[in-house]
Amino acid sequence: MGSKSDLPVMQDAADVLKELGIEYEITVVSAHRTPDRMYSYAKSAADRGLKVIIAGAGGAAHLPGMVASLTHLPVIGVPVKSSNSIDGWDSILSILQMPNGIPVATVALNAAKNAGILAAQIISIADETIVQNLINYKETLKKKVEESADEMKAEQEVKRFTL
Amino acid sequence: MGSKSDLPVMQDAADVLKELGIEYEITVVSAHRTPDRMYSYAKSAADRGLKVIIAGAGGAAHLPGMVASLTHLPVIGVPVKSSNSIDGWDSILSILQMPNGIPVATVALNAAKNAGILAAQIISIADETIVQNLINYKETLKKKVEESADEMKAEQEVKRFTL
Amino acid sequence: MGSKSDLPVMQDAADVLKELGIEYEITVVSAHRTPDRMYSYAKSAADRGLKVIIAGAGGAAHLPGMVASLTHLPVIGVPVKSSNSIDGWDSILSILQMPNGIPVATVALNAAKNAGILAAQIISIADETIVQNLINYKETLKKKVEESADEMKAEQEVKRFTL
Amino acid sequence: MGSKSDLPVMQDAADVLKELGIEYEITVVSAHRTPDRMYSYAKSAADRGLKVIIAGAGGAAHLPGMVASLTHLPVIGVPVKSSNSIDGWDSILSILQMPNGIPVATVALNAAKNAGILAAQIISIADETIVQNLINYKETLKKKVEESADEMKAEQEVKRFTL
Amino acid sequence: MGSKSDLPVMQDAADVLKELGIEYEITVVSAHRTPDRMYSYAKSAADRGLKVIIAGAGGAAHLPGMVASLTHLPVIGVPVKSSNSIDGWDSILSILQMPNGIPVATVALNAAKNAGILAAQIISIADETIVQNLINYKETLKKKVEESADEMKAEQEVKRFTL
Amino acid sequence: MGSKSDLPVMQDAADVLKELGIEYEITVVSAHRTPDRMYSYAKSAADRGLKVIIAGAGGAAHLPGMVASLTHLPVIGVPVKSSNSIDGWDSILSILQMPNGIPVATVALNAAKNAGILAAQIISIADETIVQNLINYKETLKKKVEESADEMKAEQEVKRFTL
Amino acid sequence: MGSKSDLPVMQDAADVLKELGIEYEITVVSAHRTPDRMYSYAKSAADRGLKVIIAGAGGAAHLPGMVASLTHLPVIGVPVKSSNSIDGWDSILSILQMPNGIPVATVALNAAKNAGILAAQIISIADETIVQNLINYKETLKKKVEESADEMKAEQEVKRFTL
Amino acid sequence: MGSKSDLPVMQDAADVLKELGIEYEITVVSAHRTPDRMYSYAKSAADRGLKVIIAGAGGAAHLPGMVASLTHLPVIGVPVKSSNSIDGWDSILSILQMPNGIPVATVALNAAKNAGILAAQIISIADETIVQNLINYKETLKKKVEESADEMKAEQEVKRFTL
């Protein structure tokens, strides 16, 4: 992440990666304040065994795109609605609108959880255990909705309007 | 893709996949006009051996998100600036702003080429040949810029202004 | 609705339907987390005797459009300004900008009450009782404004400035 | 429609209504230049036997909302991207963002065809013939997509890349 | 104003009109909930001796434009950022983007005070007293800024940084 | 106007003023390139007998607001969609969003004609002839719409669809 | 700055200028309420020995551009998100979108600190001491990020997930 | 500039620098395709004797901000409305919204000419010749407006409407 102030958002990525059985590391690398650190981090990432990089940043968010320019690994970008952001549009467009040749896999504003799930989906193409974890995860999502529907149905017995 | 009219944009994905050595198939599946076809396509994708799905659509672009809801494979979304689009904003936001649990890896407006490269990056995490192809591809991009710089320098010999 | 968290907004639809004498049911169906439930819900809706479907969702709101793709019933979409929304633009555009062939009758952001009134207007084309209820409802709206005007006039007696 | 210059857009509504077996009338009523005409048109609409009103207008598009304020019939609004429009945003927001009590069923920018289909869906709730016409229409849409897919498959035999 | 809930904003217009010596009346007229009241209010305004009409409304704000369509008096529109508004854009565009022939003199979002001053400027073209009041008002604005500058200079004596 | 390139837009104001019987002058005054000229123009305007100032400009359009700061006359601002504009948003917001104390009566994008009509409405509050001209003008607008409606009705005799 | 209410934002510029060893003055000059003061301030600035002017304002922010039109000194504009602003867009576009010939060096919304740093960078081109101060400042920024990274690493020892 | 395709826009900067007597160099450096080239270019710029860097780029435009992170020289950013841009918003926000510590002096969309003038203004703080060139340049701008005004006055003799 570009700043420690992004941690409350980015923690969601770490949590869901853990839940899905993916090993991860988490650190602060600023494109603008530590460009050399960003260079060495991104350039060495593949050799250090990383498979996917999740980069989150706010405002004029150059971290995801610059990391993508420095590695051949897939890079997932998380637009962060930071305090100096214009409703998040700056962060979204700075991450999403990359030129031809250097993609960033952009997820929704503040959606670090989805970045984690997407990283797991990517890793799962070579790991059957993760496939199963993802299938289970989807099942859990479905069950929660069905429980909501059941609760609402129960409440509705009372509330339902009959002519 | 959601409509055959998206082909001029989406062809770029096919072309770069071929260039990077990735086998692919290309077809039309409309979320709104052929929902059953979309269901069976997305649900059977993993079993048919697909590793990544690239879905491009314009306007209220539901295809990428709905496909992502029906498979555990990574799904890449390409916002297409179709004729009925509001400067592409509708397509971008419909694809990008997915709720927690169901990510879509969104690329820039009309950036089907980047969708193809991202797909190659994903597949490369389990295929060293593709890693090498990606590294070569990045090298080509770099060389083209350096050639531009050389051309401009040559032209500048004449144009350069000296006090 | 796409999530139980939409209930505070969507309850307004239920309340005004009751007020206008329309029988209704209310439940949670998520396009992305329960796609199969959405399919069977939407496909069976006409046979179960529903006349109109009101679908509310936030963010990349695919529920209204996908339901519309799966039924010939009129579908009313309510954009919900959820917590992960970009000022509601994502939800509005995802619901409104449907492609030719599959309309969604979109109402204002968070305007579940208007969705309920619109549903009543639709049902009223075959039910004279509802016509009368709608005429009475409009009369009530008018009276409230006239009362506001009278109150303001009374307050103004004191406040009005005369040269 | 608010101006004869909207006819190229609004004609699509007429055409699809005809295709779906719905009788219609089509005229010009300007909220701003002929407010009295609008009043009498909207107030007499129900008594003249109209079931649904489709109102299309560009810029600060007040026609759909004002008509809705003057009748209990369902009103469908078509935002038109007219020459003096700001990318259509003015027209969309003027039609969509109606206050509580007076809904307008808004469709996509320039989507007069969808306005016609929505009108047919509304009328179909009391007319089984129209239900069947809508089901056939959906079937036609589906077939066109399937034909596109078949064409693309045929072309792909040649183009498909195999490693 | 379109709703009594607009009073906290619109009161500023009344206050500045009083300060500038302009007689005024203030009431609630809803374009959508009391269209007949709006008609008779706007059509009779000139005959009742009004010189300028200030109309404030939020959301799909049709009141200023519809009043302008029903009178030859100058109409000033105040976009109000109401609770159901999309950051005020809906209200601004619904008031500003009037078609050729029917202008509305639009002021800034929530700027009822400026609407009052503009009304005074309009009335001043036939009333020398108001001209003088406006000149005095401008003088007051200037003095307040100069006082701020003096205060800041005094504080700066302490704060000013000298190398 | 701020630049001679604005003339194709601003000519509409001159034309409608002539049509409505208002004497006018037309010139180029740039806030940014000729600030002194703007100062003397605006400061002397009232003494030279001008009653209303129409100021049109594109991009960061400071002319209308700065003129308003330098005179007590009512100032009408015309946002111009110039070639260097961002879809006109820059011009609209630079003119509309004036701070408290210094209003600019803003009209729609490129709506110089409406600026002329508004100027006539303002002048009409002290000139009965102009009132009559405005009433006639409104009548003309109405007749053109009615003629369109008649034409469309005639065409419709052929086109109208009957079941 | 255009108003004393901008001080909480603009103070950051003063603070960082002090930190970087640049002498400065700070005052209130309103383009709209004190146009004469603005004229004399801007026109005399170079003669008074100022090297750079930082101008911050909100809403229709004309101060930076007007100052730039009245001096040949470089002018830095700070868009301020004031209470009457539309998410800051009005201020940003009013400052940024200056016509050819009269640039304003615009920084991010509310980014008075960056305005100060930019002023120091400008002054540094003729002052080696400031160059050194800027290099030290950049070093401090870098160290803070590295400390954050170290802290996070320490916390991670506990939190890090290992399969 | 980030790509040779930006040359038609960026040439304006070169031309005005020449006109104002500033020596310059012009080349292509892509943040994303040649990150190493960008690093060495930016890091060596001050030592090579450059005083100001103008960086223009479109889409997710990271070049200006990244260059600013790698040098203490003032960096001017030119948002370029490239073919893959979303009306230029992506480029503007990516360049403008830099985080605290690393400013970019942003000019209007495509305003390379203003970037050149701003560079001259910066250099002029230590070079009296450039000051004089800038004063002359401003005088030329003023004269062109005055000529336009004279032309318009001449044409107006004929066109001017007199009652």
Side-chain angles (χ1 to χ4, degrees):
Chain A
M1 71 195 77
S3 160
K4 210 189 166 181
S5 65
D6 299 331
L7 187 56
V9 168
M10 297 306 293
Q11 186 63 44
D12 284 353
D15 292 348
V16 81
L17 284 169
K18 188 171 172 184
E19 189 177 346
L20 292 168
I22 312 281
E23 210 176 348
Y24 65 90
E25 65 178 29
I26 179 165
T27 190
V28 177
V29 177
S30 167
H32 299 123
R33 288 169 292 157
T34 61
D36 289 304
R37 179 173 160 79
M38 177 180 70
Y39 258 54
S40 55
Y41 187 89
K43 286 197 160 178
S44 67
D47 288 344
R48 289 198 302 116
L50 298 188
K51 293 296 181 196
V52 183
I53 299 176
I54 297 175
H62 300 178
L63 183 64
M66 285 310 300
V67 168
S69 83
L70 292 158
T71 182
H72 62 268
L73 294 177
V75 175
I76 299 171
V78 183
V80 175
K81 191 173 174 175
S82 57
S83 60
N84 69 328
S85 172
I86 307 179
D87 285 323
W89 292 112
D90 42 12
S91 183
I92 288 175
L93 293 174
S94 299
I95 294 175
L96 183 71
Q97 284 293 103
M98 290 293 289
N100 271 340
I102 318 288
V104 168
T106 312
V107 294
L109 191 61
N110 281 353
K113 179 178 277 192
N114 273 358
I117 297 169
L118 180 57
Q121 289 176 318
I122 291 170
I123 287 166
S124 81
I125 73 164
D127 184 338
E128 267 307 309
T129 318
I130 309 301
V131 170
Q132 197 52 53
N133 292 353
L134 284 164
I135 290 170
N136 295 346
Y137 186 82
K138 263 184 173 329
E139 192 64 23
T140 315
L141 293 176
K142 190 182 104 184
K143 286 217 174 109
K144 279 191 199 145
V145 174
E146 288 169 349
E147 281 166 24
S148 288
D150 288 345
E151 279 167 42
M152 204 174 279
K153 201 177 175 183
E155 294 162 15
Q156 221 184 323
E157 298 299 305
V158 187
K159 281 202 290 182
R160 178 157 181 178
F161 172 64
T162 319
L163 291 178
Chain B
M1 70 195 77
S3 159
K4 212 190 165 180
S5 64
D6 299 331
L7 187 57
V9 168
M10 297 305 293
Q11 184 65 43
D12 283 354
D15 292 348
V16 83
L17 284 169
K18 187 171 172 183
E19 190 177 346
L20 291 168
I22 312 283
E23 211 177 347
Y24 64 89
E25 66 177 29
I26 180 165
T27 191
V28 177
V29 177
S30 166
H32 298 124
R33 287 169 293 157
T34 60
D36 290 303
R37 179 173 160 80
M38 176 181 71
Y39 260 54
S40 54
Y41 186 90
K43 286 195 160 180
S44 66
D47 288 345
R48 287 198 304 117
L50 298 188
K51 292 297 181 197
V52 183
I53 298 175
I54 297 175
H62 300 180
L63 182 66
M66 286 309 301
V67 168
S69 83
L70 292 159
T71 181
H72 62 267
L73 294 177
V75 175
I76 299 171
V78 183
V80 175
K81 192 173 175 174
S82 56
S83 60
N84 68 326
S85 172
I86 306 179
D87 285 323
W89 292 113
D90 41 11
S91 183
I92 287 175
L93 293 174
S94 299
I95 294 176
L96 183 71
Q97 284 294 104
M98 288 294 290
N100 271 340
I102 318 287
V104 168
T106 311
V107 294
L109 191 60
N110 281 354
K113 180 179 277 191
N114 272 358
I117 297 170
L118 180 58
Q121 289 176 319
I122 290 171
I123 286 166
S124 81
I125 73 166
D127 184 338
E128 267 306 309
T129 318
I130 309 300
V131 169
Q132 200 51 53
N133 293 353
L134 285 164
I135 290 170
N136 295 346
Y137 186 83
K138 262 184 174 326
E139 194 63 23
T140 315
L141 292 176
K142 190 182 104 184
K143 288 216 173 109
K144 279 190 198 146
V145 173
E146 289 169 349
E147 282 166 23
S148 288
D150 288 345
E151 279 168 40
M152 205 175 278
K153 202 178 175 184
E155 295 162 13
Q156 224 184 319
E157 296 303 302
V158 186
K159 281 201 291 183
R160 180 161 180 172
F161 173 65
T162 320
L163 289 179
Chain C
M1 72 195 76
S3 158
K4 210 188 167 182
S5 64
D6 299 331
L7 188 56
V9 167
M10 297 306 293
Q11 185 63 43
D12 284 354
D15 292 348
V16 81
L17 284 170
K18 187 171 171 184
E19 189 178 345
L20 291 168
I22 311 282
E23 209 175 350
Y24 65 90
E25 66 178 29
I26 180 165
T27 190
V28 177
V29 177
S30 166
H32 299 123
R33 289 169 292 155
T34 61
D36 290 303
R37 179 174 159 80
M38 177 181 70
Y39 258 55
S40 54
Y41 186 89
K43 286 197 160 178
S44 66
D47 289 344
R48 288 199 302 115
L50 299 189
K51 293 295 181 195
V52 183
I53 297 176
I54 298 174
H62 299 179
L63 183 65
M66 286 309 300
V67 167
S69 84
L70 293 158
T71 181
H72 62 267
L73 294 177
V75 175
I76 299 170
V78 183
V80 175
K81 192 173 174 175
S82 56
S83 60
N84 68 326
S85 172
I86 306 179
D87 286 323
W89 292 112
D90 42 12
S91 183
I92 288 175
L93 293 175
S94 299
I95 294 176
L96 183 71
Q97 285 294 100
M98 291 292 290
N100 272 339
I102 319 286
V104 168
T106 312
V107 295
L109 191 60
N110 281 354
K113 179 179 276 190
N114 272 358
I117 297 170
L118 181 57
Q121 289 175 318
I122 291 170
I123 287 167
S124 81
I125 73 166
D127 184 338
E128 267 306 309
T129 317
I130 308 301
V131 170
Q132 199 49 54
N133 292 353
L134 285 164
I135 289 170
N136 295 345
Y137 186 82
K138 262 183 173 329
E139 193 62 25
T140 315
L141 292 176
K142 191 182 103 184
K143 287 215 173 111
K144 277 189 199 147
V145 174
E146 287 169 349
E147 282 166 25
S148 289
D150 288 346
E151 278 168 41
M152 205 175 279
K153 201 178 175 182
E155 293 162 15
Q156 223 184 321
E157 298 300 304
V158 187
K159 281 200 292 181
R160 178 159 183 177
F161 171 64
T162 320
L163 292 179
Chain D
M1 72 194 77
S3 158
K4 210 188 166 183
S5 64
D6 300 331
L7 187 56
V9 168
M10 297 306 292
Q11 185 65 43
D12 284 354
D15 292 348
V16 82
L17 284 169
K18 187 171 171 184
E19 189 178 345
L20 292 168
I22 311 283
E23 210 175 349
Y24 65 88
E25 65 178 29
I26 179 165
T27 190
V28 176
V29 177
S30 166
H32 298 124
R33 288 170 291 157
T34 60
D36 290 303
R37 180 174 160 80
M38 176 181 71
Y39 260 55
S40 54
Y41 186 90
K43 285 194 162 182
S44 66
D47 288 344
R48 287 198 303 116
L50 299 188
K51 293 296 182 196
V52 183
I53 298 176
I54 297 174
H62 299 179
L63 183 66
M66 286 308 302
V67 167
S69 84
L70 292 159
T71 182
H72 62 268
L73 295 177
V75 175
I76 299 171
V78 183
V80 175
K81 192 173 175 173
S82 55
S83 60
N84 68 327
S85 172
I86 307 178
D87 286 323
W89 291 113
D90 40 13
S91 182
I92 288 175
L93 293 174
S94 299
I95 294 176
L96 183 71
Q97 284 294 103
M98 290 293 291
N100 271 339
I102 319 288
V104 168
T106 311
V107 294
L109 191 60
N110 281 354
K113 180 179 275 190
N114 272 358
I117 297 170
L118 180 57
Q121 289 176 318
I122 291 170
I123 286 166
S124 82
I125 73 166
D127 184 338
E128 268 305 309
T129 317
I130 308 300
V131 170
Q132 198 51 53
N133 292 352
L134 285 163
I135 290 170
N136 296 345
Y137 185 83
K138 263 183 173 327
E139 193 63 23
T140 315
L141 293 176
K142 190 182 104 184
K143 286 213 174 115
K144 279 189 198 147
V145 174
E146 288 170 349
E147 282 166 24
S148 289
D150 288 345
E151 279 168 41
M152 205 175 278
K153 201 178 176 184
E155 295 162 14
Q156 224 183 321
E157 297 301 304
V158 186
K159 281 201 293 182
R160 181 162 180 171
F161 173 67
T162 320
L163 290 178
Chain E
M1 71 195 76
S3 158
K4 211 188 166 182
S5 65
D6 298 332
L7 188 57
V9 167
M10 296 306 293
Q11 185 64 44
D12 283 354
D15 292 348
V16 83
L17 284 170
K18 187 171 171 184
E19 189 178 346
L20 291 168
I22 312 283
E23 209 175 350
Y24 65 89
E25 66 177 29
I26 180 166
T27 190
V28 177
V29 178
S30 167
H32 299 123
R33 288 169 293 156
T34 61
D36 290 304
R37 179 174 160 80
M38 177 181 70
Y39 258 55
S40 54
Y41 186 89
K43 286 196 160 179
S44 66
D47 289 343
R48 287 198 306 115
L50 299 188
K51 292 295 181 196
V52 183
I53 298 176
I54 298 173
H62 299 178
L63 183 66
M66 285 310 301
V67 167
S69 84
L70 293 158
T71 181
H72 62 268
L73 295 176
V75 175
I76 299 171
V78 183
V80 175
K81 192 174 175 174
S82 56
S83 60
N84 69 325
S85 173
I86 306 179
D87 285 322
W89 292 113
D90 41 12
S91 182
I92 288 175
L93 293 175
S94 299
I95 294 176
L96 182 72
Q97 284 294 103
M98 289 292 290
N100 270 340
I102 319 285
V104 168
T106 311
V107 294
L109 191 61
N110 281 352
K113 179 179 275 191
N114 272 358
I117 297 170
L118 180 58
Q121 289 176 318
I122 290 170
I123 286 166
S124 81
I125 73 166
D127 184 339
E128 268 306 309
T129 318
I130 308 301
V131 169
Q132 199 51 55
N133 292 353
L134 285 164
I135 289 170
N136 295 345
Y137 186 82
K138 261 182 173 331
E139 194 62 25
T140 316
L141 292 177
K142 190 183 104 184
K143 286 215 174 112
K144 277 189 198 147
V145 173
E146 287 169 350
E147 282 167 25
S148 289
D150 289 344
E151 279 168 41
M152 206 174 278
K153 201 177 176 184
E155 294 162 16
Q156 224 183 321
E157 298 299 305
V158 187
K159 280 199 292 182
R160 179 162 181 173
F161 171 66
T162 321
L163 290 180
Chain F
M1 72 195 77
S3 160
K4 210 187 166 183
S5 65
D6 299 330
L7 187 57
V9 168
M10 297 306 293
Q11 185 64 43
D12 284 354
D15 292 348
V16 82
L17 284 170
K18 187 171 172 184
E19 189 178 346
L20 291 168
I22 312 282
E23 211 176 347
Y24 66 89
E25 65 178 29
I26 179 165
T27 190
V28 176
V29 178
S30 167
H32 298 125
R33 288 168 293 156
T34 60
D36 290 303
R37 180 174 159 79
M38 177 181 71
Y39 260 54
S40 54
Y41 186 90
K43 285 195 162 180
S44 67
D47 288 344
R48 288 198 303 116
L50 299 189
K51 293 295 181 197
V52 183
I53 298 176
I54 297 173
H62 298 179
L63 183 66
M66 284 310 300
V67 168
S69 83
L70 292 159
T71 181
H72 61 268
L73 294 177
V75 175
I76 300 171
V78 183
V80 176
K81 191 173 175 174
S82 55
S83 60
N84 68 326
S85 171
I86 307 179
D87 285 323
W89 292 113
D90 41 12
S91 183
I92 287 175
L93 293 175
S94 299
I95 294 176
L96 183 72
Q97 284 295 102
M98 289 293 291
N100 271 340
I102 319 287
V104 168
T106 311
V107 294
L109 190 62
N110 281 353
K113 179 179 276 191
N114 272 357
I117 297 170
L118 181 57
Q121 288 176 319
I122 290 171
I123 287 166
S124 81
I125 74 166
D127 184 338
E128 266 306 309
T129 317
I130 309 300
V131 169
Q132 198 51 53
N133 292 354
L134 285 163
I135 290 170
N136 295 345
Y137 186 82
K138 262 184 174 325
E139 192 64 23
T140 315
L141 292 176
K142 189 182 105 184
K143 286 215 175 113
K144 277 190 199 146
V145 174
E146 288 168 350
E147 282 165 25
S148 288
D150 289 345
E151 278 167 43
M152 205 175 278
K153 201 177 176 185
E155 295 162 14
Q156 223 182 323
E157 297 300 304
V158 186
K159 281 201 293 182
R160 180 161 181 173
F161 171 66
T162 319
L163 290 179
Chain G
M1 71 195 76
S3 159
K4 212 189 165 181
S5 65
D6 299 331
L7 188 56
V9 168
M10 297 307 292
Q11 186 62 45
D12 284 354
D15 293 348
V16 82
L17 284 169
K18 189 172 172 184
E19 189 177 347
L20 292 168
I22 312 281
E23 210 176 349
Y24 65 89
E25 64 177 32
I26 179 166
T27 189
V28 176
V29 177
S30 167
H32 299 123
R33 287 169 294 155
T34 61
D36 290 304
R37 180 174 160 78
M38 177 180 70
Y39 258 53
S40 54
Y41 186 89
K43 286 196 160 179
S44 67
D47 287 345
R48 288 198 303 116
L50 298 188
K51 293 295 181 198
V52 183
I53 299 175
I54 297 174
H62 300 179
L63 184 65
M66 285 310 300
V67 168
S69 83
L70 292 158
T71 182
H72 62 268
L73 295 176
V75 175
I76 300 171
V78 183
V80 176
K81 192 173 174 174
S82 57
S83 60
N84 69 326
S85 173
I86 307 179
D87 285 323
W89 293 112
D90 41 12
S91 183
I92 287 175
L93 293 174
S94 299
I95 294 175
L96 182 71
Q97 285 294 104
M98 290 293 290
N100 271 340
I102 318 286
V104 168
T106 311
V107 294
L109 191 61
N110 282 352
K113 179 178 276 191
N114 273 358
I117 296 169
L118 180 57
Q121 289 175 318
I122 291 170
I123 286 165
S124 81
I125 73 165
D127 184 338
E128 267 306 309
T129 318
I130 308 300
V131 170
Q132 199 51 54
N133 292 353
L134 284 164
I135 290 170
N136 295 346
Y137 186 82
K138 262 184 172 332
E139 193 62 23
T140 316
L141 292 177
K142 190 183 103 184
K143 288 217 173 108
K144 277 189 199 147
V145 173
E146 288 169 349
E147 282 166 24
S148 289
D150 288 344
E151 279 168 41
M152 206 175 277
K153 200 177 175 183
E155 294 162 15
Q156 222 183 323
E157 298 300 305
V158 186
K159 279 201 292 183
R160 179 158 180 176
F161 172 65
T162 320
L163 290 180
Chain H
M1 72 196 75
S3 159
K4 212 190 164 180
S5 64
D6 299 330
L7 187 57
V9 168
M10 297 306 292
Q11 185 65 43
D12 284 354
D15 293 347
V16 83
L17 284 169
K18 188 172 173 182
E19 188 177 346
L20 292 168
I22 311 282
E23 211 176 348
Y24 65 89
E25 65 177 31
I26 179 164
T27 190
V28 177
V29 178
S30 166
H32 298 123
R33 288 168 294 157
T34 60
D36 290 303
R37 181 174 160 78
M38 176 181 71
Y39 260 54
S40 55
Y41 187 90
K43 286 194 161 180
S44 67
D47 288 345
R48 289 198 303 118
L50 299 189
K51 292 296 181 198
V52 183
I53 298 176
I54 298 174
H62 299 179
L63 182 67
M66 285 310 300
V67 167
S69 83
L70 292 160
T71 182
H72 62 267
L73 295 177
V75 175
I76 300 171
V78 183
V80 175
K81 192 173 174 174
S82 56
S83 60
N84 68 326
S85 172
I86 306 180
D87 285 323
W89 291 114
D90 41 12
S91 183
I92 288 176
L93 293 174
S94 299
I95 293 175
L96 183 71
Q97 285 293 105
M98 289 294 291
N100 271 340
I102 318 286
V104 168
T106 311
V107 294
L109 190 61
N110 280 354
K113 179 178 276 190
N114 272 358
I117 297 169
L118 180 58
Q121 289 176 318
I122 290 171
I123 286 166
S124 80
I125 74 166
D127 184 338
E128 267 306 308
T129 318
I130 310 299
V131 169
Q132 199 50 53
N133 293 353
L134 285 163
I135 290 170
N136 295 346
Y137 186 81
K138 262 184 174 327
E139 194 63 24
T140 316
L141 293 177
K142 189 182 105 184
K143 286 214 175 113
K144 279 192 198 144
V145 174
E146 288 168 350
E147 283 166 24
S148 289
D150 289 344
E151 279 167 42
M152 205 175 278
K153 201 178 176 182
E155 295 162 13
Q156 224 183 319
E157 297 301 303
V158 186
K159 281 201 293 181
R160 181 160 180 174
F161 172 66
T162 320
L163 290 180

